[in-house]
Amino acid sequence: MRIEEDLKLDFKDVLIRPKRSTLTSRSEVDISREFSFLHSAHTYRGIPIIAANMDTVGTFQMSQALARHDLAVALHKHYQEVDLVAFFKALPATTTAFYSMGITRADYEKFQRVKDLAGDAITYVCVDVANGYTKVFIDFLHKLRAAYPDIVIMAGNVVTGEMTEELIIDGADIVKVGIGPGSVCTTRKMTGVGYPQLSAIIECADAAHGLGGLICADGGCTSPGDLAKAFGGGADFIMLGGMLAGHDECAVEVIEQDGSRKVPFYGMSSRTAMDKHSGGVANYRASEGKDVLLDYRGPVENTLKDILGGVRSACTYVGARKLKELSKRTTFIRVARQLNEVFGAS
Ligand code: 5GP
């Protein structure tokens, strides 16, 4: 047994120090990015925020709403093949949508069939497992990269620099970072495993960038300020679940409860998700996701404006004219308290 004594940080442990700036308005800030990839020859252009591949958030409707602002979606993996093919064939070239899959033989064969029919319309693929540290996951990445040299592969999840490097060498263009920080995740509670998300981002970004790879910070953002901290810590992309949940685009029924409107949201390893997609929780495993009821939030458009406005404003506070400059201009200060919650937490 070993104990690491280095301090590891979460979003709540820091604030971003303001810096002298010549910017006068947040409208001068450009928060889109352009990326080329280590393995794939594609170029990405857009605002690098991705809706999570959860069946409540990674929907076709969400893709359309986010595309209006140049954001991306990772579609959930439970759509029917015909619907996926139709969606990708109709996808405008300027919109980024990730096809998501696990690493079972069935996942791979479904991808082969959909890709055969949709062709080059599928450029971005997200290979998603709860634990990105296993040999079967790495073997799967090798197989996928060898068969599809042109696609952009995002793979995860991991939280350490050495595994980020490993996945990039194995064929990932983007490594997805986060174990346990999610809003409806109970992994830390059920297993005791995890890593404070801001430190995971800082360490994995450093490792990835050293090799020409990229990272996507996945999970744990609860406010626009957390996105600014994630980008400031070196995240190239950010994936959001809970912040985009509860909206019209979530393809979940709105429920009336005690006179207010509620929308279900649940982890993809929760009992609800497993009942829906896998015929229940298998005997050998525990559910590692929460089921919650959120207040209904209307169209995602307003939430998006808050998120994008917050990130733009963070850039003006540190004098970053482009999102790309934010991490170079970020100095984090450790804090004991960051919010004044005298009138409530929101
Ligand atoms: P959020 O933005 O809601 O904090 O985090 C979203 C992320 O939580 C997802 O992209 C995914 O990585 C993770 N996640 C979603 N469902 C579950 C679950 O049931 N269990 C765990 N451990 N993580 C989940």
Side-chain angles (χ1 to χ4, degrees):
M1 196 276 297
R2 244 188 92 216
I3 299 181
E4 272 187 33
E5 301 281 0
D6 292 0
L7 181 74
K8 302 293 176 188
L9 301 167
D10 245 311
F11 297 128
K12 68 165 182 35
D13 300 319
V14 301
L15 288 167
I16 299 170
R17 199 177 77 182
K19 292 211 168 117
R20 199 174 62 80
S21 152
T22 53
L23 292 169
T24 49
S25 155
R26 67 179 80 170
S27 63
E28 292 172 41
V29 173
D30 173 12
I31 56 167
S32 61
R33 298 244 13 211
E34 185 172 308
F35 292 119
S36 50
F37 298 99
L38 182 63
H39 299 284
S40 164
H42 286 284
T43 303
Y44 163 91
R45 288 184 192 87
I47 295 179
I49 298 173
I50 308 169
N53 51 332
M54 303 169 74
D55 64 2
T56 43
V57 174
T59 63
F60 295 149
Q61 298 91 317
M62 188 65 79
S63 173
Q64 275 162 6
L66 298 199
R68 287 197 275 277
H69 294 270
D70 277 343
L71 276 63
V73 164
L75 295 171
H76 69 76
K77 67 173 188 178
H78 301 291
Y79 277 120
Q80 301 288 320
E81 290 173 30
V82 287
D83 298 328
L84 285 165
V85 172
F87 170 85
F88 277 105
K89 280 189 155 171
L91 192 71
T94 49
T95 301
T96 304
F98 287 78
Y99 177 101
S100 301
M101 63 177 142
I103 58 168
T104 64
R105 176 194 285 257
D107 288 323
Y108 190 71
E109 289 173 357
K110 178 178 175 185
F111 174 67
Q112 284 179 311
R113 289 190 298 271
V114 175
K115 178 82 172 123
D116 275 353
L117 292 169
D120 289 342
I122 299 184
T123 311
Y124 294 87
V125 172
C126 169
V127 186
D128 194 23
V129 292
N131 172 6
Y133 285 76
T134 65
K135 181 163 183 314
V136 279
F137 177 57
I138 289 170
D139 292 345
F140 185 89
L141 260 184
H142 283 158
K143 180 166 97 173
L144 184 67
R145 178 48 82 198
Y148 298 98
D150 293 339
I151 57 175
V152 176
I153 300 179
M154 175 159 73
N157 282 21
V158 299
V159 285
T160 49
E162 99 281 355
M163 206 57 193
T164 300
E165 287 174 358
E166 168 81 45
L167 297 187
I168 288 170
I169 292 163
D170 294 326
D173 296 291
I174 309 166
V175 173
K176 201 147 70 72
V177 173
I179 293 185
S183 59
V184 282
C185 166
T186 55
T187 294
R188 291 179 183 176
K189 186 171 167 194
M190 295 304 289
T191 67
V193 176
Y195 209 97
Q197 183 67 352
L198 181 62
S199 284
I201 292 168
I202 294 169
E203 292 168 28
C204 295
D206 193 45
H209 297 164
L211 291 177
L214 300 170
I215 69 152
C216 174
D218 175 21
C221 287
T222 59
S223 60
D226 290 344
L227 278 90
K229 292 172 188 176
F231 283 131
D236 303 291
F237 292 87
I238 296 177
M239 184 169 267
L240 297 179
M243 284 183 73
L244 299 177
H247 295 99
D248 289 337
E249 292 77 5
C250 293
V252 201
E253 250 178 76
V254 180
I255 298 167
E256 288 283 336
Q257 197 183 62
D258 304 328
S260 60
R261 293 196 284 175
K262 301 278 183 187
V263 183
F265 180 53
Y266 46 85
M268 291 312 292
S269 313
S270 66
R271 177 167 294 280
T272 302
M274 285 196 263
D275 283 348
K276 207 163 163 187
H277 302 297
S278 328
V281 182
N283 282 336
Y284 61 88
R285 63 181 293 180
S287 133
E288 282 181 28
K290 284 183 214 168
D291 288 271
V292 294
L293 266 187
L294 309 179
D295 289 334
Y296 167 65
R297 301 167 74 193
V300 76
E301 181 73 23
N302 295 341
T303 303
L304 278 185
K305 284 188 181 137
D306 274 355
I307 294 173
L308 302 183
V311 174
R312 273 198 195 96
S313 188
C315 289
T316 57
Y317 271 109
V318 299
R321 198 170 290 274
K322 291 176 183 265
L323 183 58
K324 188 179 178 183
E325 296 164 12
L326 180 57
S327 71
K328 292 187 199 108
R329 298 190 65 91
T330 292
T331 302
F332 288 120
I333 38 177
R334 279 184 56 208
V335 294
R337 171 183 138 150
Q338 60 156 333
L339 301 176
N340 181 346
E341 294 184 345
V342 66
F343 296 127
S346 58

